[in-house]
Amino acid sequence: MGRGRLDGRVVLITGAARGQGEQEARLFAAEGAKVVLADVLDEAGEALAADIGHPCARYVHLDVGREDDWADAVAFTTRTFGKLDGLVNNAGILRHRALVDTSLSEYEVVVRVNQTGPFLGMRTAAPEIAAAGGGTIVNTASYAALAGMATLTAYAASKGAVLAMTRVAALELAARGIRVNALCPGGIDTPMTNPALLRPGAVPGHGREQADAAFRKLVPMGRIGRPEEVARAALFLTSDDSSYVTGQPFVVDGGWLAGADPSW
């Protein structure tokens, strides 16, 4: 049996019950890590942990905007697996709304999950990761943090803050053996981007044809991204393959950020 790229590692993944987080949890476990799946979708999270298999995977309830939940989730991880080597701040929400129509309450809801969540996660997890001898933090930002998109004021603002926090955390935590990087996915075929996946009976790939068609003229690669493609990028940033990489945005967008081709 070959050596996994994450053998011996313990990684906590937020928003792990579905979408990118689910694929990250499955891939990390396949690569030898012990994974703690954290989410507010308890039924789906418990089922996924069972499917991946105990003792490799465990589920814990975590509302990323609550300090107490973070303390409990990190304590659960170290109690269950003895340490914490890595964190993937994947949980996020998306709201489409024109700037002038965005209420303060909606803006704050998005910021609470997308920005406050990673802040609390890094602050809570970093001491434990340092105590384990160092490790990694991967924050999920977005293409929208790097390029303007209409109707995404709250989302883009929160993801831009994630990039800024990633850079600062990388500077502060390098001496403690912790690398901090950010994923910047473009359009990815998850329930957040492709609502067809939320319909009863939907299976992976449901509604993908329509999603691919929508992105055909936006993305040079001509399709929406797959969550497993983001998971592989997260694996790279969590494994020793990226041992000299910290403080960086890692764009996974099919070429979207590169610009528009007038021939389309």
Side-chain angles (χ1 to χ4, degrees), residues 22-227:
E22 174 185 350
Q23 294 304 315
E24 288 159 356
R26 290 187 183 280
L27 179 60
F28 284 25
E31 288 288 344
K34 299 289 195 304
V35 291
V36 174
L37 289 63
D39 212 307
V40 293
L41 302 174
D42 296 332
E43 188 176 340
E46 291 280 11
L48 178 58
D51 189 49
I52 293 173
H54 297 167
C56 293
R58 297 290 298 275
Y59 174 78
V60 65
H61 179 90
L62 171 61
D63 175 344
V64 296
R66 292 178 56 87
E67 286 183 275
D68 290 348
D69 276 19
W70 269 109
D72 291 345
V74 170
F76 172 85
T77 302
T78 57
R79 185 171 65 249
T80 302
F81 293 123
K83 61 175 182 170
L84 176 62
D85 301 293
L87 170 66
V88 179
N89 278 313
N90 169 73
I93 59 174
L94 175 68
R95 297 289 185 272
H96 285 277
R97 194 85 60 195
L99 168 64
V100 297
D101 296 326
T102 301
S103 68
L104 177 58
S105 60
E106 181 173 87
Y107 184 90
E108 289 175 337
V109 164
V110 173
V111 167
R112 180 180 182 274
V113 175
N114 294 358
Q115 179 178 334
T116 303
F119 158 69
L120 290 174
M122 289 192 291
R123 193 186 70 178
T124 309
E128 293 296 340
I129 298 174
T136 56
I137 296 173
V138 178
N139 295 320
T140 304
S142 171
Y143 165 95
L146 299 166
M149 290 186 70
T151 77
L152 290 185
T153 297
Y155 183 80
S158 66
K159 295 300 189 178
V162 168
L163 282 187
M165 288 191 294
T166 295
R167 295 185 184 103
V168 174
L171 295 174
E172 293 185 2
L173 298 176
R176 304 180 76 176
I178 302 173
R179 296 187 295 105
V180 188
N181 290 289
L183 284 171
C184 295
I188 307 297
D189 189 26
T190 67
M192 189 168 77
T193 304
N194 179 8
L197 292 171
L198 292 172
R199 293 173 191 157
V203 296
H206 187 73
R208 186 174 284 171
E209 228 176 85
Q210 295 91 332
D212 280 344
F215 278 87
R216 196 158 288 133
K217 291 192 173 182
L218 290 174
V219 178
M221 289 184 68
R223 62 172 175 84
I224 195 168
R226 316 303 191 221

